[in-house]
Amino acid sequence: MTTRRHFIWLLPASGAALLSACSESAPPPSATAPEGAPASSAEYPVPAPAPEVAQTPATTGPMLEASDPTAVALGYVAVAAHADKSKFPNFVEGSACSNCTLYQGAIGSQAGPCPLFAGKQVAAAGWCASYARKAT
Ligand code: SF4
């Protein structure tokens, strides 16, 4: 059973042991690596740097041609006013790629990517049947 008296009796003995462990005559604690571990950090494999990941969609690429099969199917036109309103009655005046939710070009840009036409750019003034008004 530990009593206050027993603790007070142990205190000087513990202090003496601590002082002798920290004295300069005592050898420093072992700094060797555990068995099997590399001797220095230089032996640790250095991971390759992470590849750069594009944070924004590419803003370069050829312009989408109206003759592209997907463009034809979706009624894409480079100028929204030229949309075939009889074939695509969902066309609404004022709609254009630049205010479509799928348009990925920068604000004020003349052209930009659209996920429906990967690797190509659509005109900001363009339009297709998949148009969806961007939330304001
Ligand atoms: Fe333009 Fe939108 Fe059609 Fe893409 S989905 S071509 S941004 S109207």
Side-chain angles (χ1 to χ4, degrees):
M1 180 171 172
T2 303
T3 61
R4 187 182 318 159
R5 184 172 300 168
H6 184 76
F7 175 75
I8 291 171
W9 181 82
L10 283 176
L11 200 57
S14 301
L18 186 62
L19 280 174
S20 69
C22 294
S23 69
E24 292 185 18
S25 61
S30 175
T32 57
E35 193 173 314
S40 71
S41 62
E43 294 180 31
Y44 285 102
V46 177
E52 299 250 343
V53 177
Q55 298 297 311
T56 56
T59 55
T60 59
M63 289 301 294
L64 175 66
E65 297 290 334
S67 59
D68 180 284
T70 307
V72 171
L74 294 176
Y76 171 81
V77 286
V79 177
H82 297 168
D84 186 346
K85 289 141 188 119
S86 60
K87 194 172 177 184
F88 302 102
N90 62 331
F91 176 81
V92 175
E93 287 295 330
S95 57
C97 291
S98 60
N99 57 31
C100 173
T101 192
L102 296 178
Y103 184 68
Q104 297 177 332
I107 294 171
S109 61
Q110 296 298 304
C114 170
L116 298 185
F117 305 102
K120 306 246 173 89
Q121 293 196 75
V122 296
W127 181 89
C128 88
S130 294
Y131 173 84
R133 181 168 289 281
K134 191 180 289 183
T136 54

